[in-house]
Amino acid sequence: MDQSRRFSAFVASGRDPRPTIREALEFARDYLTQSCLDERAYVKAAIIVEELISNCLRHGGGAQDLSVSLVLEDIGDAIVLEVEDDGPAFDPTTGAGFSDDFAGPDPETGGGIGLAIVRAWGEDIAYTHNGQRNILRLTIR
């Protein structure tokens, strides 16, 4: 199996991000089926990929074009996942839904649990903002 693989996409402002979210998830599932992860960790990794890519494309672009990349790297007993985008700076490690006092999903929309899921299942979560790029890196076992 390849040690690492990269998925990249560009979504123009006003375009439906769902096809790109599906493509990223298909890319991740293809890679993860050949990875070191057991079935439970595979499912967690796929959900994390979907949450992070969806958040980038649905909430990060606003009225601007957005590019996003996903790198998956097999490091033996775990997968390192890195998501990079050129949306506005947003540190998900300190954003709403990521703190210890998370009160649960929005009762009206059901949303708001994605970052809580990422925190619960991800390890060694690190965010940096480099130039005009958000970079989130985490490990999944």
Side-chain angles (χ1 to χ4, degrees):
M1 176 173 146
D2 295 326
Q3 191 73 7
S4 69
R5 285 184 44 204
R6 174 183 295 270
F7 169 86
S8 297
F10 173 82
V11 177
S13 174
R15 294 287 189 165
D16 183 359
R18 290 178 296 186
T20 303
I21 296 166
R22 281 191 295 272
E23 288 174 28
L25 187 55
E26 288 173 18
F27 162 83
R29 285 179 175 158
D30 179 59
Y31 183 87
L32 293 168
T33 59
Q34 302 171 46
S35 75
C36 63
L37 299 180
D38 63 25
E39 186 176 345
R40 182 179 170 102
Y42 164 90
V43 170
K44 288 179 179 181
I47 290 170
I48 288 173
V49 166
E50 184 175 15
E51 288 294 335
L52 292 175
I53 297 298
S54 179
N55 281 353
C56 285
L57 296 178
R58 291 177 189 234
H59 306 298
Q64 72 180 51
D65 297 343
L66 189 70
S67 66
V68 63
S69 68
L70 166 67
V71 175
L72 297 172
E73 180 180 6
D74 193 326
I75 59 167
D77 68 337
I79 296 293
V80 173
L81 181 152
E82 184 175 280
V83 176
E84 184 175 335
D85 71 85
D86 60 356
F90 174 72
D91 182 350
T93 65
T94 61
F98 212 79
S99 64
D100 288 330
D101 61 351
F102 176 61
D106 180 319
E108 304 241 347
T109 66
I113 63 169
L115 293 179
I117 289 170
V118 171
R119 182 176 188 208
W121 293 343
E123 300 174 12
D124 305 321
I125 301 169
Y127 168 82
T128 56
H129 187 76
N130 185 359
Q132 299 298 314
R133 310 280 303 167
N134 295 296
I135 304 167
L136 183 68
R137 187 175 172 91
L138 59 92
T139 303
I140 304 165
R141 293 185 198 286

